[in-house]
Amino acid sequence: MTKTLLILRHAKSSWKDEKLKDIDRPLKRRGGEDAVVIGKVLTMAELVPQVILSSPAKRAKQTAELVVSEAKFKGELRFVDAFYMGEPENYIGELKKLPDEIERVMIVGHNPGLEALLQLLDGKVNSLPTGSLAYLVLDIKHWSDLTKSTVGELISFWEADEIDLKEMEEKMGKDKDKKDKKDKKKDKKDKKDKK
C-alpha cells in the first residue's frame, strides 16, 4: 500500500509592484498560463488529487485555484498558513494529519522548503523551478507514518514551460490503448480460465 504526493511549486509571480508585501505578490500572466498547463497535465495523467493543501500567499493561492479550475477538481482545497515560508517539517506535519482514505494529495508552496522536501523524500538533489510538478509515490500505508526518513520514488516530473501538451496527449493515448489491450487480454484469459 502506498500514498501519492504531488509537489507543485507556485507558478511565476510578478515583481511589478515593489510596494506589495511578498505574501501579496500575484502571478504574472505567464505564471497563470503555466498553472493552467499543470491542471491539464493532472487531468491527462489521471493524477487529479483528492485534497490540495496550499500556501496562503497570493501567488500560490492563484496557482492552486487555476489548477483546480482546469483539472475540474472536486476535492478539498485548504490553505495552510505554515506553508508560507514553510520548511519540510511544516509540510510533513500537515500531511501526517490526513485521513488514510485519502490516497493522492497535492501540496502547493515555495522554495527552498519544497525543494528540500523533495530532496528528503527522493534522496536526490532535484531543483524545483516555478510552475514545476513532482509526482512521488511514498512507501507508507498511513499518512501518520510520514517522516523525514520516509522513502519516496519520483515517478514523473513536469516543468510547465517545457510541456508539449500535444505530445503528452499522444503518449497518454498510446499508453491508454496499451492498457486497454492488456485489460481485454486479461478479461479473455479470465473467462477462459473460468470455463
Side-chain angles (χ1 to χ4, degrees), residues 6 8 38 41-42 45 47 128 131-135 155-163 168 172:
L6 301 159
L8 175 61
I38 292 297
V41 166
L42 290 174
L47 284 173
L128 198 62
S132 57
L133 175 69
Y135 160 30
I155 306 295
S156 287
F157 185 85
W158 296 275
E159 281 185 57
D161 57 359
E162 292 183 7
I163 294 167
M168 189 177 172
M172 292 295 175

Side-chain angles (χ1 to χ4, degrees), residues 47-186:
L47 284 173
V48 177
Q50 293 157 285
V51 172
I52 298 176
L53 304 173
S54 172
S55 156
K58 190 166 189 175
R59 58 194 180 274
K61 196 174 184 182
Q62 288 177 327
T63 300
E65 287 167 347
L66 286 164
V67 166
V68 159
S69 172
E70 187 58 41
K72 311 228 179 334
F73 172 76
K74 302 273 188 279
E76 180 191 2
L77 168 58
R78 194 162 73 233
F79 298 100
V80 182
D81 290 342
F83 284 11
Y84 177 61
M85 300 301 178
E87 294 298 323
E89 46 273 15
N90 299 115
Y91 294 106
I92 289 170
E94 204 58 35
L95 289 165
K96 284 173 86 75
K97 298 176 192 172
L98 291 169
D100 287 334
E101 59 268 17
I102 302 294
E103 294 294 324
R104 188 182 306 137
V105 178
M106 183 165 81
I107 53 176
V108 184
H110 313 266
N111 276 356
L114 270 190
E115 210 166 74
L117 177 66
L118 177 58
Q119 289 169 12
L120 267 178
L121 296 174
D122 185 41
K124 296 180 188 84
V125 176
N126 297 299
S127 75
L128 198 62
T130 52
S132 57
L133 175 69
Y135 160 30
L136 290 126
V137 171
L138 305 175
D139 192 18
I140 53 172
K141 281 184 183 167
H142 312 283
W143 287 107
S144 58
D145 296 338
L146 183 64
T147 67
K148 281 183 170 184
S149 53
T150 295
V151 176
E153 183 186 354
L154 183 64
I155 306 295
S156 287
F157 185 85
W158 296 275
E159 281 185 57
D161 57 359
E162 292 183 7
I163 294 167
D164 181 338
L165 288 171
K166 212 169 197 150
E167 188 182 295
M168 189 177 172
E169 206 165 11
E170 284 168 14
K171 186 187 180 309
M172 292 295 175
K174 284 176 188 163
D175 289 351
K176 192 176 184 321
D177 290 345
K178 273 185 199 167
K179 188 183 177 299
D180 290 347
K181 281 179 186 169
K182 219 181 211 174
D183 290 348
K184 278 182 186 169
K185 271 186 185 173
K186 190 182 176 303

